[in-house]
């Protein structure tokens, strides 16, 4: 069985990984869902989503560690290292991600499309810390899977650009698992987000640190604003820009932020690295 896996093609390995991930998760997810009194296609609340997401994302790194052992590689091959440069790129990505979110909402505030509700109290600081840790965990796991393992396997048989497109399509599509109605309008934004994060790994010489930082910065900023209820929409701005249901990725605002970030990364990559 192990010999079959190591000699299999990239699509077979990818399908095997996701089937194994699902197979390991379902025996845990079903009792959790039952305890939370949730069942598909019932809408998934935030309090219900977190335990299911946590159980799913705790399994993936362990499964990838097993795959790495079978193939005789380490997480370093997937772009994970523990040196100082990794932390520096992580911090840079985090800063760029947060600044991008701030710029988007600053533009919307200037046009009177949102109102701010600042509450600089202990609760907000606790929220900032919690959402930062959540952002780092979720982004680290997703980057390890999609821009690490998945992109590596695709590049064994295909070009970087085709691998970027396929991995980004899978990344965007799998978000439909949690919420179809809210996620459908965000699919183009999620696909573009995947491409930008692939670009971040390339710019960082194959390391995932910059991509993890960017991803975490976006999650941190948006989750903090949502959890702390820091903004409210005035209704003066069109949903095509602000995003349907208040989701930036479902509107031009999120697309604009991703395009600007991608342009900056591409410029840096073209200046300092050979094009693939």
């Amino acid at each position: 069985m192990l010999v079959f896996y190591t000699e299999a093609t990239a699509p077979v390995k990818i399908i095997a990984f996701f089937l194994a991930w699902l197979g390991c998760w379902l025996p845990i997810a079903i009792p959790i869902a039952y305890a939370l009194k949730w069942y598909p296609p019932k809408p998934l609340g935030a309090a219900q989503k977190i335990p299911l997401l946590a159980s799913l994302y705790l399994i993936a790194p362990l499964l990838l560690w097993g795959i790495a052992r079978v193939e005789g590689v380490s997480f370093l091959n997937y772009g994970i290292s523990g040196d100082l440069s990794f932390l520096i790129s992580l911090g840079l990505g985090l800063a760029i991600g947060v600044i991008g979110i701030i710029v988007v909402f600053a533009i919307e505030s200037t046009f009177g499309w949102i109102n701010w509700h600042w509450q600089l109290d202990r609760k907000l600081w606790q929220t900032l810390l919690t959402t930062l840790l959540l952002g780092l965990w979720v982004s680290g796991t997703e980057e390890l899977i999609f821009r690490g393992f998945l992109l590596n396997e695709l590049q064994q048989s295909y070009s970087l650009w085709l691998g970027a497109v396929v991995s980004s399509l899978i990344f965007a599509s799998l978000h439909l698992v949690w919420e179809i109605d809210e996620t459908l309008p965000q699919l183009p934004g999620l696909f573009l987000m995947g491409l930008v994060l692939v670009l971040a790994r390339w710019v960082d010489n194959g390391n995932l640190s910059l991509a993890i930082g960017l991803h975490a910065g976006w999650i941190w900023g948006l989750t903090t604003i949502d959890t702390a209820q820091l903004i409210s929409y005035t209704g003066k701005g069109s949903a095509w820009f602000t995003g349907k249901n208040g989701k930036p990725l479902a509107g031009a605002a999120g697309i604009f932020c991703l395009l600007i970030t991608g342009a900056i990364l591409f410029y840096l990559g073209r200046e300092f690295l050979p094009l693939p």
Side-chain angles (χ1 to χ4, degrees):
M1 184 65 179
L2 296 180
V3 174
F4 166 77
Y5 181 86
T6 56
E7 295 181 353
T9 61
V12 172
K13 287 183 179 181
I14 291 168
I15 292 171
F17 165 74
F18 283 110
L19 288 176
W21 192 14
L22 181 64
C24 292
W25 180 59
L26 282 179
I28 301 171
I30 292 173
I32 293 176
Y34 179 79
L36 295 172
K37 299 180 180 179
W38 175 80
Y39 53 87
K42 185 179 177 182
L44 190 64
Q48 296 171 317
K49 182 178 178 179
I50 291 175
L52 290 168
L53 183 70
S55 61
L56 181 66
Y57 280 17
L58 284 171
I59 293 170
L62 295 175
L63 189 58
L64 287 176
W65 176 80
I67 291 174
R69 289 290 299 272
V70 168
E71 296 199 318
V73 298
S74 69
F75 274 15
L76 186 63
N77 294 79
Y78 297 147
I80 299 292
S81 66
D83 55 19
L84 181 60
S85 63
F86 187 92
L87 295 177
I88 293 173
S89 292
L90 179 70
L92 176 62
L94 193 67
I96 294 173
V98 171
I99 290 171
I101 297 295
I102 292 172
V103 168
V104 167
F105 285 109
I107 292 172
E108 294 184 6
S109 179
T110 301
F111 284 101
W113 296 341
I114 62 171
N115 288 323
W116 288 95
H117 309 288
W118 290 107
Q119 300 172 353
L120 294 175
D121 53 17
R122 183 177 178 182
K123 184 178 179 181
L124 177 59
W125 293 114
Q126 290 175 341
T127 300
L128 281 167
L129 178 59
T130 302
T131 53
L132 173 60
L133 295 175
L134 177 67
L136 288 170
W137 175 41
V138 171
S139 63
T141 304
E142 292 189 352
E143 293 313 301
L144 177 62
I145 296 167
F146 296 102
R147 262 63 65 179
F149 164 76
L150 194 58
L151 189 61
N152 275 21
E153 293 299 338
L154 289 168
Q155 282 187 265
Q156 297 297 321
S157 305
Y158 312 106
S159 67
L160 171 62
W161 300 116
L162 182 57
V165 169
V166 173
S167 63
S168 298
L169 282 172
I170 296 172
F171 169 72
S173 301
L174 286 180
H175 281 76
L176 292 168
V177 171
W178 302 112
E179 179 59 59
I180 295 178
D181 291 338
E182 282 195 3
T183 304
L184 273 175
Q186 299 182 70
L187 283 180
L190 287 166
F191 172 70
L192 179 59
M193 178 180 173
L195 293 178
V196 171
L197 291 169
V198 170
L199 188 58
R201 184 182 179 189
W202 167 60
V203 169
D204 207 18
N205 286 300
N207 293 317
L208 284 176
S209 49
L210 185 59
I212 293 173
L214 274 173
H215 198 163
W218 293 328
I219 294 175
W220 186 25
L222 292 174
T223 306
T224 298
I225 289 171
D226 185 54
T227 304
Q229 298 180 333
L230 294 179
I231 67 167
S232 61
Y233 288 90
T234 62
K236 297 178 181 179
S238 175
W240 74 264
F241 187 88
T242 59
K244 187 177 180 180
N245 299 318
K247 303 294 184 182
L249 280 180
I255 302 297
F256 170 77
C257 178
L258 290 171
L259 287 174
I260 294 300
T261 304
I264 293 171
L265 291 175
F266 188 77
Y267 171 77
L268 293 174
R270 203 168 76 168
E271 282 290 309
F272 302 109
L273 294 172
L275 284 169

